[in-house]
Amino acid sequence: AYTAITPTGGSGYAYGITLIADSATFGNVASSNESRIARYAGTNWNLISNSFANGFTGLLQTATNTQSAFGNFTGTSNSNPLPINLLSFTATALEEDVLVSWQTASETNNKGFEVERSVDGNSFEQIAFVKGANNSTRIKNYATSDYKAFEIAQSTRLYYRLKQLDNDGSFTYSSVVPVNRENMETNDFIVFPNPFVNEFTISLNANQNEVSSIDLLDLQGKLVAKQVVALNQGQNNLEINNLSLVQAGIYFLRVSHNGTVQIKKMVKN
């Protein structure tokens, strides 16, 4: 878990920070007294050296008037740094399939992730393994698809979690996220033709001028094609071509625009 703190107005801040330290903030830290505060600096988490913990009050604190930068804050330790920093973890229903995606801010000795599924939120089974980056201080995006998940599990509600494995054999679990068959992802963009052969067109309306990322993922969540486009405020028709080398099959189209990430199932003939 982490806490996002942003300023409103003014400048030249100098402040101290106090966090309520629950088990989600502690993560793998052995005890509350060993915990310290770390701040996300855009590519990695930096330990705030003058921070300290009070196990009696359950608080993490820094000295007064020693901080000037804002951002995301969490708990870590001098002796036991965070193995990974998970920024997001989602499961999205796409007809009978479920796309599981997550993002890390940094990784330390990370062997990879076992993706697990459950029909009751208690008993889980592994449905995929995704290799980690081992050591990284950059944001990493991961995804994998659970093909025909609702049909295989014979359930309209499923639960997913990540089991993160370190190189030394230790592991930790993410939080559990539910996904309902009835709550399929809805999109405010149109793609035609679908199925496609070597190209297709995306029609969407942008709220403002922005840069959008168009990603085509296979069923294992691997990126097979990517295009970054400039959107103008209003209606946009984007031609996505040069897909002759993409093999026939089922894919997921991921479109980032208007501050959201939306996904649509695609078929190539």
Side-chain angles (χ1 to χ4, degrees), residues 97-165:
D97 310 327
V98 174
L99 181 67
V100 183
S101 58
W102 62 100
Q103 185 182 68
T104 63
S106 64
E107 301 177 28
T108 303
N109 298 321
N110 179 28
K111 180 179 179 180
F113 306 87
E114 291 181 0
V115 182
E116 299 182 342
R117 179 218 300 146
S118 172
V119 296
D120 59 9
N122 295 309
S123 299
F124 285 83
E125 61 176 335
Q126 180 183 343
I127 56 98
F129 175 80
V130 178
K131 185 178 180 181
N134 193 17
N135 294 294
S136 171
T137 57
R138 304 181 65 181
I139 291 178
K140 293 283 187 179
N141 294 290
Y142 296 92
T144 189
S145 62
D146 193 3
Y147 187 53
K148 294 189 176 180
F150 296 103
E151 179 181 328
I152 293 171
Q154 293 294 293
S155 176
T156 59
R157 182 177 176 87
L158 299 173
Y159 302 84
Y160 290 85
R161 72 181 182 185
L162 294 176
K163 181 180 181 180
Q164 182 269 320
L165 304 172

Side-chain angles (χ1 to χ4, degrees), residues 242-262:
N242 297 324
L243 301 175
S244 60
L245 297 180
V246 176
Q247 296 182 351
I250 300 173
Y251 295 89
F252 296 114
L253 178 67
R254 183 172 62 193
V255 178
S256 304
H257 83 111
N258 290 343
T260 65
V261 177
Q262 299 182 39

